[in-house]
Amino acid sequence: MSAADTAAPAGAPAAAPMDHRHVLRALSGLLIVLFVAMISSTVVSVALPQIIGSLEGTQSQYTWVVTATLLASTASTPIWGKLADLFSKKLLLQISIGIFVVSSVACGFARSTEQLIAFRAVQGLGMGALQVLVQVIIAAMISPKERGRYNGYLGGVMAVATVGGPLLGGFITDASWLGWRWCFFIAVPFTLLASVMLARTLHLVEVRRPDTKVDYLGASLIAAGVSLLLLWVTFVGGDFDWISWQSGLMVGGSVVILGAAVLVEGRVKEPVVPLHVVRRRDPALAIVASLAVGMAMFGGAVFLGQYFQIGRGYSPTEAGLLTIPLMAGVLVSSTVAGRLVSRTGKVKPFIVAGVVVLALGFLGLSFIDHETSLVMVSLGMLGVGVGVGMSMQNLVLVLQNTVPLSEIGAASGAITFFRSLGGTMGVSVLGAVLAHQVSTKITDGLAKLGIDPAASGSGGSTLNVAAMPPQVQDVVRAAYGDATGHIFLISAGIAVIGVIASLFLTPTKLRDSVDL
């Protein structure tokens, strides 16, 4: 344990798992890194209207501040995972921390929306790297069976970051002595602290493989195909119709590019996404279920926060507080389920139960409108939180349990990639459905009052509700509150797919060793 990143020859026995004290010391720095990486994607959500207004940006640029980060993070995730199998995991983590810190400072100093979008794309590269590398390093330190007890900490950090981000962003934005630029600056000191901690506590035995090569062609094709698909999801329904030549060109192009990526991945010696892993029954089912959980993790916090602020009229800080049942559900269930997984060595029962509760939680939220009791809304959020907490990290555990240590990076990167892809597409699709529902309801509501929607200044997409006349405010809030239930009904349907996939998982015991 005294030498960091000690080289070991290829084929050498895997290092013995670290003892509990050393694991906790290294895990503290890893959890800080993961928390900062995840919260950076949520902390700006409630501050975006003020950010874009301050930089004199447009509605299209507003969307791209979010999309640029998601595109870069999602597309680069499998690449970072593969690099972790080829090079020093600790060195890659330090490099990604550097990318993240520099881009965060640059975002804080941005003087135009164009600069902010560019810096956010670079920040997305760092975020994607940090999220997958933390999971890869934990897998390299701890055996699958013992990993369950630590996954509780991991799930708790993800829950607090996902739900606490908007709350922190609202506080920073509302505080006159801080301002929106601190939504980016605040991550820097914590990330630097974590870097120092990891330099002192993270000690891994690295297997050097000098004869391996990085599949740059496959990585480029995957990044291009996924980016084009996400661009289509971002703009369809707004800039052009679902059935149009633009949709055909973008979807068709994405299918062709990703098809070429599959051919390349099936032929190269060191693929970015190992097809022999993805083709196996349990990894494939875990990936399908992760798509549903990804939508819950990303979409739940995004649209619930919007529901409380616009549909119910609460402030950003109050909206963050009202989402505590979601956060508490993830925190408690991930911790309890993680310890039970380590104690029993069984993971399937907890995944199945979690995805079922997730579907029921979304089903409960599908009945909400702008007058629903907050108690009923809280119960639905609690169900979603419990479902995410019991299933999200345990699905990663299923995949990691089936591969040797030499492939753990690519396997973890693959499932994280598909979960992020599902979440990104889910948010985009649900957002498009919500926008259409809101626009229709606002138009109908204003027509009943004898008000011209164009003359009222409400439109279908503005979030500046406070500047509207009282009558128009009521119509807009009711439209957002009533439309939110529709998107959660869609989420419930997608969660059912996760239930079906999890039911077909093989009921196996988790292994006690780090490597196969």
Side-chain angles (χ1 to χ4, degrees):
M1 293 291 185
S2 59
D5 296 333
T6 304
M18 297 168 65
D19 61 59
H20 184 60
R21 183 172 65 89
H22 285 92
V23 166
L24 285 181
R25 289 179 61 192
L27 192 64
S28 59
L30 292 172
L31 291 181
I32 293 175
V33 168
L34 181 65
F35 176 76
V36 173
M38 292 199 67
I39 205 170
S40 64
S41 63
T42 58
V43 73
V44 299
S45 58
V46 296
L48 267 181
Q50 185 171 338
I51 294 174
I52 300 302
S54 174
L55 297 177
E56 299 181 354
T58 64
Q59 179 61 41
S60 176
Q61 290 169 329
Y62 179 103
T63 302
W64 268 101
V65 170
V66 178
T67 305
T69 309
L70 292 175
L71 280 171
S73 177
T74 303
S76 65
T77 294
I79 301 173
W80 286 107
K82 184 59 186 175
L83 290 175
D85 288 334
L86 304 179
F87 304 106
S88 166
K89 298 173 180 61
K90 183 175 180 179
L91 177 61
L92 287 172
L93 184 64
Q94 291 168 331
I95 291 172
S96 60
I97 287 175
I99 294 173
F100 180 79
V101 169
V102 172
S103 58
S104 296
V105 173
C107 287
F109 284 114
R111 297 299 173 187
S112 67
T113 47
E114 290 83 4
Q115 290 181 8
L116 182 60
I117 290 169
F119 295 147
R120 285 281 285 175
V122 179
Q123 191 182 40
L125 293 175
M127 287 165 50
L130 293 176
Q131 291 184 46
V132 70
L133 288 173
V134 166
Q135 298 194 56
V136 169
I137 290 173
I138 290 176
M141 294 192 304
I142 313 164
S143 69
K145 184 177 180 181
E146 286 300 310
R147 208 172 300 150
R149 66 193 290 197
Y150 300 101
N151 275 348
Y153 302 122
L154 207 63
V157 165
M158 289 182 173
V160 174
T162 302
V163 184
L167 176 60
L168 179 61
F171 171 77
I172 293 173
T173 306
D174 291 339
S176 58
W177 49 281
L178 287 174
W180 65 262
R181 294 186 184 275
W182 276 95
C183 288
F184 302 107
F185 292 148
I186 196 170
V188 176
F190 293 101
T191 311
L192 293 177
L193 172 64
S195 181
V196 173
M197 293 173 62
L198 290 169
R200 296 173 60 88
T201 62
L202 183 59
H203 307 298
L204 299 174
V205 175
E206 299 285 353
V207 179
R208 302 297 186 190
R209 294 158 57 190
D211 58 327
T212 56
K213 297 180 180 179
V214 179
D215 176 24
Y216 292 109
L217 176 58
S220 300
L221 289 172
I222 291 173
V226 170
S227 297
L228 185 59
L229 188 62
L230 292 182
L231 285 172
W232 171 71
V233 173
T234 301
F235 294 113
V236 70
D239 293 77
F240 49 84
D241 294 329
W242 288 85
I243 301 177
S244 62
W245 68 267
Q246 293 97 329
S247 289
L249 185 63
M250 297 181 78
V251 175
S254 180
V255 170
V256 171
I257 295 172
L258 291 176
V262 171
L263 293 177
V264 171
E265 296 300 275
R267 296 188 179 188
V268 297
K269 181 181 178 182
E270 297 286 349
V272 174
V273 178
L275 297 182
H276 67 280
V277 173
V278 177
R279 285 180 185 141
R280 296 173 192 159
R281 172 178 167 173
D282 285 339
L285 291 171
I287 286 172
V288 171
S290 289
L291 290 173
V293 177
M295 178 172 291
M297 184 175 66
F298 290 99
V302 170
F303 295 113
L304 281 170
Q306 191 179 55
Y307 166 78
F308 285 125
Q309 290 183 60
I310 302 176
R312 304 300 292 262
Y314 292 102
S315 70
T317 304
E318 291 170 335
L321 291 171
L322 287 168
T323 53
I324 284 179
L326 177 66
M327 178 174 60
V330 179
L331 180 62
V332 175
S333 65
S334 62
T335 303
V336 173
R339 291 188 177 276
L340 291 174
V341 166
S342 287
R343 184 179 302 172
T344 63
K346 298 179 180 178
V347 69
K348 179 180 176 179
F350 301 98
I351 293 176
V352 173
V355 186
V356 168
V357 173
L358 175 67
L360 293 176
F362 272 134
L363 185 62
L365 289 175
S366 69
F367 292 101
I368 66 175
D369 56 31
H370 69 289
E371 295 179 337
T372 303
S373 166
L374 291 179
V375 174
M376 298 301 297
V377 178
S378 297
L379 289 175
M381 288 191 294
L382 183 64
V384 172
V386 169
V388 171
M390 293 182 68
S391 57
M392 183 171 61
Q393 284 307 114
N394 286 327
L395 286 167
V396 177
L397 198 56
V398 168
L399 186 65
Q400 292 176 340
N401 190 59
T402 63
V403 298
L405 184 61
S406 61
E407 295 179 352
I408 206 91
S412 301
I415 194 167
T416 304
F417 162 74
F418 284 109
R419 186 176 65 204
S420 298
L421 179 62
T424 305
M425 295 185 67
V427 169
S428 299
V429 172
L430 294 179
V433 173
L434 181 66
H436 175 73
Q437 291 277 339
V438 165
S439 179
T440 302
K441 290 179 182 295
I442 289 177
T443 301
D444 294 343
L446 293 178
K448 291 179 181 179
L449 296 176
I451 301 174
D452 182 6
S456 70
S458 66
S461 59
T462 179
L463 303 182
N464 190 16
V465 182
M468 301 176 187
Q471 280 185 311
V472 178
Q473 281 189 30
D474 293 339
V475 171
V476 173
R477 293 194 189 282
Y480 272 93
D482 297 346
T484 304
H486 292 278
I487 63 173
F488 286 129
L489 182 59
I490 298 174
S491 297
I494 295 175
V496 170
I497 298 175
V499 173
I500 296 172
S502 63
L503 286 172
F504 284 96
L505 287 172
T506 305
T508 56
K509 277 265 190 180
L510 298 177
R511 66 177 188 254
D512 294 311
S513 59
V514 171
D515 206 351
L516 282 172

